Amino acid sequence: MEKRPFIIDCDTGTDDAIAILAALYSPEVEVKAITSVNGNICERYVCRNNRNLTALLGKNVPVARGAVRPLLSGFVNEGHLDDTHGPTGFGTIQLPEAEQVFDPRVASELIYETAVEEKGALELLVIGPMTNIALALVQHGDLAGLIRHIWFMGGAAVGGNVTPTAEFNIWVDPEAAKIVIGSGIPMTMVGLDVTTKAIMTREDADALRACGTPAGQVAADLLAYMFTRNHSGGEDALMHDALAFAAAVCPDCLTCRDCFVDVETHGQCAYGHTFVDQRGRTGKPANVSVALEVDVSMFRKWLVDTICRSAGEK
Ligand code: BDR
Ligand code: CA
């Protein structure tokens, strides 16, 4: 089977790390690179987390640095925002510090060069703010025609987690999201109203630990951090980002509908809101396949099974 080439653009981030693990052990996919962006924590922590994780797993995947701030008026994370992802983005887990050097290219250039090399086959898993992708699109007029599909975690058909109407990834850099979503690239949006249903359990954590690999252990440790976080009033073990990857390789997990989507960049109350026209009221053509429902047990099984494929590499 020919593997589908992917770049993961992320703000790792506890749930980003679990999405990366799933992608690295998915038989359908070859991860060509991982690129880092300001978001859950500042970019200098994100890139270290990406590098330390791939090194721990013995995966020789290029890791590149990316945008340290949004395009215009969004949110610059100078350190970390709250305890959702812990002080350096990896919960309370301390990965060994890896020595690998970062790819010399900045994220937007790496994305463009890889898209050219892959001749239209490249897919992007975008699980942080969209700054790097917007920069690449602005710098390279032919890029949109070279990306097969974008699978992104961001926005919501209804609601938000930073404001009543804005989800974090979009709220951090709404202008970037507007550029990417309006680019004409085929894309699938996995938003907050669906990802908040994708909750992992202690049973899942036990199964991941039992697979006996570094990947299984890291995933189980991240879940254990999330359970503690939830116990102290924080977010549950929500798999926002892994669910966006599931859309790409386990599509039966999700029910999607084609909708017109845009991003509010000027609103006084609704800055960063994803405008999802589910009922075709605008008359504008659909530009995004939007996830509306998830089969949670199918997703949890897929995620555990996929990460446990690492046992086959021992
Ligand atoms: C998104 O924001 C981050 O906290 C998560 O990693 C996810 O990508 C959820 O709003
Ligand atoms: Ca993320």
Side-chain angles (χ1 to χ4, degrees):
M1 178 177 54
E2 194 153 330
K3 293 194 171 207
R4 292 158 58 186
F6 265 74
I7 286 179
I8 306 174
D9 186 70
C10 51
D11 60 340
T12 317
T14 50
D15 64 314
D16 302 71
I18 293 181
I20 292 170
L21 290 171
L24 289 173
Y25 294 101
S26 275
E28 306 89 342
V29 160
E30 180 176 358
V31 180
K32 291 282 174 183
I34 302 176
T35 51
S36 316
V37 69
N38 159 69
N40 287 321
I41 45 163
C42 60
E43 190 275 341
R44 69 177 185 280
Y45 292 153
V46 175
C47 61
R48 271 172 45 195
N49 289 340
N50 290 337
R51 180 188 63 182
N52 293 345
L53 181 61
T54 49
L56 178 81
L57 303 172
K59 295 281 183 184
N60 191 18
V61 176
V63 172
R65 301 202 56 178
V68 299
R69 50 188 308 125
L71 295 185
L72 291 173
S73 54
F75 170 71
V76 185
N77 203 339
E78 305 285 3
H80 74 292
L81 189 60
D82 55 31
D83 277 336
T84 305
H85 300 275
T88 58
F90 227 85
T92 44
I93 300 148
Q94 202 78 47
L95 294 183
E97 203 58 46
E99 284 172 7
Q100 276 90 333
V101 289
F102 294 112
D103 191 281
R105 294 166 290 183
V106 72
S108 54
E109 284 308 307
L110 184 153
I111 290 166
Y112 178 65
E113 287 180 18
T114 310
V116 171
E117 279 162 24
E118 295 298 332
K119 300 183 182 68
L122 184 65
E123 299 176 53
L124 304 180
L125 176 66
V126 181
I127 50 179
M130 293 181 168
T131 320
N132 291 330
I133 319 302
L135 283 168
L137 286 166
V138 168
Q139 285 157 355
H140 300 284
D142 57 339
L143 178 60
L146 291 168
I147 304 290
R148 173 157 293 170
H149 203 98
I150 292 178
W151 311 89
F152 75 91
M153 189 286 139
V158 180
N161 56 356
V162 188
T163 77
T165 58
E167 180 278 334
F168 181 79
N169 288 342
I170 306 297
W171 173 84
V172 168
D173 197 344
E175 283 82 9
K178 192 174 181 74
I179 290 170
V180 175
I181 290 171
S183 66
I185 298 170
M187 65 183 76
T188 298
M189 164 177 154
V190 180
L192 195 69
D193 43 341
V194 185
T195 62
T196 43
K197 296 177 187 162
I199 304 172
M200 299 301 271
T201 65
R202 287 177 194 279
E203 191 187 14
D204 300 323
D206 291 346
L208 286 161
R209 202 175 293 285
C211 79
T213 64
Q217 188 184 325
V218 171
D221 288 349
L222 286 164
L223 291 183
Y225 170 77
M226 293 176 181
F227 299 144
T228 313
R229 166 181 88 188
N230 184 236
H231 194 66
S232 353
E235 189 171 287
D236 209 334
L238 301 181
M239 295 295 102
H240 304 288
D241 293 345
L243 191 61
F245 182 60
V249 295
C250 186
D252 289 349
C253 289
L254 289 158
T255 308
C256 299
R257 183 186 301 163
D258 291 342
C259 302
F260 172 72
V261 179
D262 203 345
V263 178
E264 180 58 73
T265 54
H266 295 295
Q268 290 188 338
C269 300
Y271 181 71
H273 169 63
T274 40
F275 176 93
V276 179
D277 184 9
Q278 286 193 57
R279 292 179 188 80
R281 295 264 165 80
T282 59
K284 294 186 178 175
N287 56 347
V288 179
S289 173
V290 179
L292 296 174
E293 276 305 331
V294 53
D295 182 331
V296 179
S297 26
M298 185 189 291
F299 165 73
R300 285 174 39 221
K301 179 174 179 347
W302 163 81
L303 184 57
V304 171
D305 288 353
T306 302
I307 294 174
C308 285
R309 294 183 78 97
S310 51
E313 289 187 6
K314 270 197 289 191

